[in-house]
Amino acid sequence: MRSYLKGVIVVLTSFLVLSWTAMGTAQDIVIGFSGPLSGPGAEYGQDCVNGLELAIKELNAAGGITVKGKKHLFKLEKLDDRSDPTQALNNARRFRANNAIAVFNGVFSTIASIAKINEEKGNEFLIMAYTSTPKVVQLGNKLLIGTTAPAFPVYIQCFTDLALAQGWRKIAMVATLGAYGEEWRHAFRDYWKKVGGTITIDKPANYYTETDFSAPLTAALATKPDAMLIGGPSATTALVIEQARGMGFKGGFILIDQAKMDYIADILKGVKLMENTIGVAGAMTVTVPISSDFERRYKGSYKRPVTSEVLRNYGAMIALSRAIQASGKINDVRAIRAAFPKVLPILGDKLPTEIFGINNNGRLLINGSVQMIKNGKAQEPEQYFWWPKNEKEWNAVKKVSKSKVQKKNMHWFKAKIDNVI
């Protein structure tokens, strides 16, 4: 009899544990990530997912979020898409089947693919889109949040001004293939020619699948350029710089904004090969009050340098969590999207990258930062705030920002190029 009762108790206990577990997981808020986690673009994708994952770990460690008196934790699901639009779409469908309310992605061609299904009635989910292409908000997707810094035409204008100041007039383009790379190269070419520069050649390469860039580099160097426009994922961009220097190129480099100078310098064991390189400022050179603490936490967990991909995706997840809480709903993604303006700004005492607001088209208001490697070291970063419409708005931004960059290096950006916003 005792053994029978003991068996019953074990069964009932197991049932209660399983029921409790099911109830607990049913309350989790599912977040999906689809991106390149293998192949040449893997480092880029891993940085994106690391920032997202760290935010979720820290949110859960603090007890998650409270919505209508109930605690909810976050559950991250991540899948490799190798930057393939078809695979990204399939991944998004899997996330949706698991009730994900948002999918993070960092490549425009795959974002555009996912955007075909995220507004389907009854199956909606948010797209957290880490890309600087202006086309991402031109998709007209009402459930898309642009989680990056400015649209890349801001960088094109800033990089061009700095390049002209170096006396560069002839540029060879050896940037990445794909929708994003195509758009970047065309926009750069048009603006560079508009200011009187010359494009000597356009020889794109696939930075997501290739590691030998000798053929396009040979063609580019034959045109004797002052500098080269290069870039894609940072890891393969480092290979392009190394191979170009090995082939005798002594000119400058302009990096498209996906390629990050600090990450490249880490791969190349310093900036010696990067002399006269212009690009997005190193992630930890644009500091705010929590920068040091964030870097310590991140490196302690991942043993990798902090990159812009880490910062932007971390910040976007924190903003998303606050929007969910402010909306009062965990499954109504339209209500969550509408709540974003209520929880912004989030500044540098709370985030390692400041978010000042959100445009109606979904792009988060995050400033851009530019830097140059010159005379063997990284110059002071220059910050550009691209959204203020007048002096009053610009003064308001300066007043609230907690950036530790010198005020003389903080600029109100005035666009001379289309599609900045």
Side-chain angles (χ1 to χ4, degrees), residues 15-41:
F15 175 78
L16 289 171
V17 169
L18 288 170
S19 298
W20 178 85
T21 302
M23 289 173 63
T25 55
Q27 297 302 308
D28 286 349
I29 300 171
V30 179
I31 305 295
F33 173 86
S34 181
L37 296 175
S38 62

Short mmCIF file of all heavy atoms in Angstrom, two decimals, residues 15-41:
data_model
loop_
_atom_site.label_atom_id
_atom_site.label_comp_id
_atom_site.label_asym_id
_atom_site.label_seq_id
_atom_site.Cartn_x
_atom_site.Cartn_y
_atom_site.Cartn_z
N PHE A 15 3.25 15.74 -12.17
CA PHE A 15 2.22 16.45 -12.93
C PHE A 15 2.18 17.92 -12.56
O PHE A 15 2.08 18.80 -13.43
CB PHE A 15 0.85 15.81 -12.66
CG PHE A 15 -0.29 16.54 -13.29
CD1 PHE A 15 -0.56 16.40 -14.65
CD2 PHE A 15 -1.10 17.39 -12.54
CE1 PHE A 15 -1.60 17.08 -15.24
CE2 PHE A 15 -2.15 18.08 -13.12
CZ PHE A 15 -2.40 17.92 -14.47
N LEU A 16 2.28 18.21 -11.25
CA LEU A 16 2.25 19.60 -10.79
C LEU A 16 3.45 20.37 -11.29
O LEU A 16 3.35 21.53 -11.70
CB LEU A 16 2.18 19.64 -9.26
CG LEU A 16 0.84 19.20 -8.65
CD1 LEU A 16 0.97 19.09 -7.13
CD2 LEU A 16 -0.27 20.19 -9.02
N VAL A 17 4.63 19.71 -11.26
CA VAL A 17 5.85 20.37 -11.75
C VAL A 17 5.72 20.68 -13.23
O VAL A 17 6.03 21.78 -13.69
CB VAL A 17 7.10 19.49 -11.49
CG1 VAL A 17 8.31 20.04 -12.23
CG2 VAL A 17 7.38 19.42 -9.99
N LEU A 18 5.24 19.68 -13.99
CA LEU A 18 5.08 19.89 -15.43
C LEU A 18 4.05 20.98 -15.71
O LEU A 18 4.22 21.81 -16.60
CB LEU A 18 4.65 18.58 -16.10
CG LEU A 18 5.74 17.51 -16.21
CD1 LEU A 18 5.13 16.19 -16.67
CD2 LEU A 18 6.85 17.95 -17.15
N SER A 19 2.97 20.98 -14.92
CA SER A 19 1.93 21.99 -15.12
C SER A 19 2.48 23.37 -14.82
O SER A 19 2.23 24.34 -15.53
CB SER A 19 0.73 21.69 -14.21
OG SER A 19 0.16 20.45 -14.54
N TRP A 20 3.25 23.47 -13.71
CA TRP A 20 3.84 24.76 -13.34
C TRP A 20 4.82 25.24 -14.41
O TRP A 20 4.83 26.40 -14.77
CB TRP A 20 4.56 24.61 -11.99
CG TRP A 20 5.22 25.88 -11.55
CD1 TRP A 20 4.67 26.92 -10.89
CD2 TRP A 20 6.59 26.24 -11.77
NE1 TRP A 20 5.58 27.91 -10.66
CE2 TRP A 20 6.77 27.53 -11.19
CE3 TRP A 20 7.68 25.62 -12.40
CZ2 TRP A 20 7.99 28.18 -11.22
CZ3 TRP A 20 8.89 26.28 -12.41
CH2 TRP A 20 9.04 27.55 -11.83
N THR A 21 5.62 24.30 -14.93
CA THR A 21 6.58 24.65 -15.97
C THR A 21 5.87 25.15 -17.22
O THR A 21 6.24 26.15 -17.82
CB THR A 21 7.46 23.43 -16.33
OG1 THR A 21 8.11 22.99 -15.16
CG2 THR A 21 8.49 23.79 -17.38
N ALA A 22 4.81 24.44 -17.60
CA ALA A 22 4.05 24.85 -18.78
C ALA A 22 3.44 26.22 -18.59
O ALA A 22 3.45 27.06 -19.48
CB ALA A 22 2.95 23.82 -19.07
N MET A 23 2.90 26.44 -17.36
CA MET A 23 2.33 27.75 -17.08
C MET A 23 3.39 28.83 -17.15
O MET A 23 3.17 29.92 -17.69
CB MET A 23 1.67 27.75 -15.70
CG MET A 23 0.39 26.93 -15.62
SD MET A 23 -0.21 26.82 -13.93
CE MET A 23 -0.56 28.54 -13.58
N GLY A 24 4.61 28.50 -16.62
CA GLY A 24 5.68 29.50 -16.61
C GLY A 24 6.12 29.84 -18.02
O GLY A 24 6.24 31.00 -18.38
N THR A 25 6.33 28.81 -18.85
CA THR A 25 6.82 29.09 -20.19
C THR A 25 5.75 29.76 -21.03
O THR A 25 6.06 30.51 -21.94
CB THR A 25 7.29 27.79 -20.88
OG1 THR A 25 6.20 26.86 -20.84
CG2 THR A 25 8.48 27.20 -20.18
N ALA A 26 4.48 29.48 -20.70
CA ALA A 26 3.40 30.11 -21.45
C ALA A 26 3.39 31.62 -21.27
O ALA A 26 2.87 32.34 -22.11
CB ALA A 26 2.06 29.52 -21.03
N GLN A 27 3.97 32.08 -20.15
CA GLN A 27 4.00 33.51 -19.88
C GLN A 27 5.24 34.18 -20.45
O GLN A 27 5.36 35.40 -20.41
CB GLN A 27 3.94 33.74 -18.36
CG GLN A 27 2.65 33.24 -17.71
CD GLN A 27 1.42 33.88 -18.30
OE1 GLN A 27 1.31 35.10 -18.39
NE2 GLN A 27 0.47 33.05 -18.74
N ASP A 28 6.19 33.40 -20.94
CA ASP A 28 7.39 33.99 -21.52
C ASP A 28 7.04 34.78 -22.78
O ASP A 28 6.15 34.40 -23.55
CB ASP A 28 8.41 32.90 -21.90
CG ASP A 28 9.10 32.30 -20.68
OD1 ASP A 28 8.94 32.87 -19.58
OD2 ASP A 28 9.80 31.29 -20.84
N ILE A 29 7.76 35.87 -22.99
CA ILE A 29 7.61 36.68 -24.20
C ILE A 29 8.72 36.26 -25.16
O ILE A 29 9.90 36.42 -24.86
CB ILE A 29 7.71 38.18 -23.87
CG1 ILE A 29 6.60 38.58 -22.88
CG2 ILE A 29 7.62 39.01 -25.15
CD1 ILE A 29 6.75 39.98 -22.34
N VAL A 30 8.34 35.69 -26.28
CA VAL A 30 9.31 35.12 -27.22
C VAL A 30 9.84 36.20 -28.16
O VAL A 30 9.06 36.94 -28.78
CB VAL A 30 8.69 33.96 -28.02
CG1 VAL A 30 9.71 33.38 -29.01
CG2 VAL A 30 8.17 32.88 -27.09
N ILE A 31 11.15 36.26 -28.27
CA ILE A 31 11.85 37.16 -29.18
C ILE A 31 12.69 36.32 -30.13
O ILE A 31 13.44 35.43 -29.69
CB ILE A 31 12.78 38.13 -28.41
CG1 ILE A 31 12.00 38.90 -27.33
CG2 ILE A 31 13.49 39.08 -29.38
CD1 ILE A 31 10.94 39.83 -27.85
N GLY A 32 12.60 36.57 -31.42
CA GLY A 32 13.39 35.82 -32.40
C GLY A 32 14.56 36.62 -32.94
O GLY A 32 14.50 37.85 -33.01
N PHE A 33 15.61 35.92 -33.29
CA PHE A 33 16.74 36.53 -34.01
C PHE A 33 17.08 35.66 -35.20
O PHE A 33 17.32 34.45 -35.06
CB PHE A 33 17.98 36.68 -33.14
CG PHE A 33 19.18 37.14 -33.93
CD1 PHE A 33 19.40 38.49 -34.16
CD2 PHE A 33 20.07 36.22 -34.50
CE1 PHE A 33 20.48 38.92 -34.93
CE2 PHE A 33 21.16 36.64 -35.27
CZ PHE A 33 21.36 38.00 -35.48
N SER A 34 17.10 36.27 -36.39
CA SER A 34 17.55 35.59 -37.60
C SER A 34 18.68 36.42 -38.21
O SER A 34 18.54 37.62 -38.40
CB SER A 34 16.40 35.47 -38.61
OG SER A 34 16.82 34.80 -39.78
N GLY A 35 19.80 35.77 -38.48
CA GLY A 35 20.94 36.50 -39.04
C GLY A 35 22.05 35.55 -39.43
O GLY A 35 21.95 34.33 -39.23
N PRO A 36 23.15 36.08 -39.98
CA PRO A 36 24.28 35.22 -40.37
C PRO A 36 25.07 34.77 -39.14
O PRO A 36 25.78 35.57 -38.53
CB PRO A 36 25.11 36.12 -41.28
CG PRO A 36 24.80 37.51 -40.79
CD PRO A 36 23.38 37.48 -40.32
N LEU A 37 24.92 33.52 -38.76
CA LEU A 37 25.64 32.98 -37.61
C LEU A 37 26.68 31.94 -38.04
O LEU A 37 27.32 31.31 -37.20
CB LEU A 37 24.66 32.37 -36.61
CG LEU A 37 23.67 33.36 -35.97
CD1 LEU A 37 22.66 32.64 -35.09
CD2 LEU A 37 24.42 34.43 -35.19
N SER A 38 26.83 31.78 -39.35
CA SER A 38 27.90 30.95 -39.90
C SER A 38 28.36 31.60 -41.20
O SER A 38 27.68 32.48 -41.73
CB SER A 38 27.41 29.52 -40.15
OG SER A 38 26.36 29.50 -41.10
N GLY A 39 29.51 31.18 -41.70
CA GLY A 39 30.04 31.80 -42.91
C GLY A 39 30.78 33.09 -42.61
O GLY A 39 30.93 33.50 -41.46
N PRO A 40 31.27 33.79 -43.65
CA PRO A 40 32.06 35.01 -43.46
C PRO A 40 31.33 36.13 -42.71
O PRO A 40 31.98 36.99 -42.11
CB PRO A 40 32.38 35.44 -44.90
CG PRO A 40 32.36 34.17 -45.68
CD PRO A 40 31.26 33.37 -45.07
N GLY A 41 30.00 36.14 -42.74
CA GLY A 41 29.26 37.18 -42.02
C GLY A 41 28.93 36.82 -40.59
O GLY A 41 28.23 37.57 -39.91
#
